[in-house]
Amino acid sequence: MKTATSTTNTANGQGTVPAWLGVEAANSVQLVQAIGAGFPYATLERVRKETGLPLERLGSAIGLSARTLTRRKKEKKLSAAESDRLVTLTRLLTQAIALFEGSKISALRWFVQPNRALGKLSPLEMAATETGAREVENLIGRLEHGVFS
């Protein structure tokens, strides 16, 4: 199986989609098409296994209630919007891992802890919306450059 990548790969992880997402896409156009078609539910399970985050917490982060999560499992497919949010979430996780110099454990710990710079929400909670995801991305950028405000 090919892994998802983006044509905008950079050294710090920005613009990349981690291989552990497991989506077949050789470039950004194919990734957009895969998102539009909706990822298989197994993609969410794969991210859960890779991150160790509880499925309910991941589901919540991409806008899935417990009932909808159950329904998506039966349907074996995520919607396009849910798939897009999953890509955003995994991209942010990749950036956090790069911030922590490749330490997935440290990055995940940071990602789920309340953060003063994010109004005491965790990056995971903040990333539930596009605006929040941009704020997490901005925070990661500030931290990379030593700006701790």
Side-chain angles (χ1 to χ4, degrees):
M1 171 182 275
K2 281 189 203 173
T3 56
T5 59
S6 171
T7 58
T8 58
N9 288 345
T10 63
N12 69 357
Q14 289 184 310
T16 63
V17 178
W20 42 267
L21 192 61
V23 175
E24 210 170 301
N27 57 48
S28 295
V29 173
Q30 289 180 1
L31 179 60
V32 168
Q33 291 170 337
I35 290 168
F39 292 163
Y41 181 83
T43 304
L44 183 61
E45 286 284 348
R46 188 175 172 136
V47 172
R48 181 196 60 77
K49 286 178 186 170
E50 192 65 36
T51 63
L53 293 170
L55 192 56
E56 296 75 23
R57 197 150 185 202
L58 271 177
S60 178
I62 65 168
L64 292 171
S65 67
R67 276 181 82 177
T68 304
L69 191 60
T70 301
R71 192 168 54 249
R72 293 296 184 260
K73 186 175 183 176
K74 287 180 186 176
E75 295 169 352
K76 297 182 180 176
K77 191 170 188 175
L78 301 175
S79 72
E82 295 154 357
S83 300
D84 192 44
R85 285 193 298 271
L86 188 58
V87 167
T88 298
L89 183 66
T90 58
R91 181 176 43 81
L92 290 172
L93 281 165
T94 300
Q95 291 174 10
I97 292 167
L99 174 67
F100 285 90
E101 300 176 351
S103 173
K104 190 188 304 184
I105 293 169
S106 296
L108 285 166
R109 188 178 313 124
W110 177 81
F111 210 74
V112 299
Q113 297 285 331
N115 191 301
R116 194 174 60 163
L118 299 173
K120 297 188 180 179
L121 293 174
S122 71
L124 179 64
E125 293 167 317
M126 193 70 162
T129 66
E130 180 60 31
T131 301
R134 279 192 230 131
E135 285 303 313
V136 172
E137 192 165 30
N138 289 337
L139 176 58
I140 290 170
R142 289 193 312 267
L143 293 171
E144 286 175 332
H145 293 94
V147 181
F148 299 103
S149 63

